[in-house]
C-alpha cells in the first residue's frame, strides 16, 4: 500500500485494517518512517526521528493486536 494512502487513513480505518490483517502497526510505522525520510529534506519538519523507538513501540502494539489484549475501541 502506498505510504500516502496510509498517511491519510483515519484511526478507524487503520483499526479496521489491523483487524483484517491487511496492515499492521509495524507496516504502518515503516511506511511513515520511509515517508519522513523521503519528504523531510524538502519540508524540514523533523529535527530528530526516533526510528528505533518507533519500531519498538510498533512491534509492541502489533503483539497486542495479535493477542487481542488491546482495549482500543473503534468509534
Amino acid at each position: 500500500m502506498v505510504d500516502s494512502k496510509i498517511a491519510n487513513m483515519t484511526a478507524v480505518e487503520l483499526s479496521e485494517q489491523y483487524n483484517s490483517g491487511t496492515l499492521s502497526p509495524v507496516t504502518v510505522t515503516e511506511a511513515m518512517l520511509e515517508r519522513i525520510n523521503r519528504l523531510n529534506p524538502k519540508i524540514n519538519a523533523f529535527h530528530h526521528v526516533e526510528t528505533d523507538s518507533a519500531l519498538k513501540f510498533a512491534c509492541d502494539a502489533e503483539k497486542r493486536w495479535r493477542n487481542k489484549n488491546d482495549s482500543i475501541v473503534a468509534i
Side-chain angles (χ1 to χ4, degrees):
M1 190 171 290
V2 179
D3 68 8
S4 62
K5 185 174 180 182
I6 293 171
N8 291 307
M9 286 184 166
T10 66
V12 171
E13 291 169 329
L14 286 171
S15 180
E16 290 168 351
Q17 296 294 312
Y18 295 164
N19 283 328
S20 72
T22 306
L23 289 175
S24 74
V26 172
T27 57
V28 170
T29 301
E30 289 171 341
M32 293 300 90
L33 290 169
E34 288 173 21
R35 183 176 172 90
I36 289 168
N37 287 334
R38 188 178 78 252
L39 296 176
N40 200 52
K42 297 174 189 170
I43 61 175
N44 199 27
F46 295 95
H47 175 69
H48 180 75
V49 178
E50 288 284 339
T51 303
D52 293 338
S53 294
L55 290 170
K56 181 201 176 305
F57 287 120
C59 285
D60 292 346
E62 188 167 321
K63 288 176 191 172
R64 287 192 304 272
W65 275 96
R66 275 197 219 142
N67 295 328
K68 302 293 183 188
N69 290 332
D70 201 26
S71 61
I72 295 176
V73 177
I75 298 173

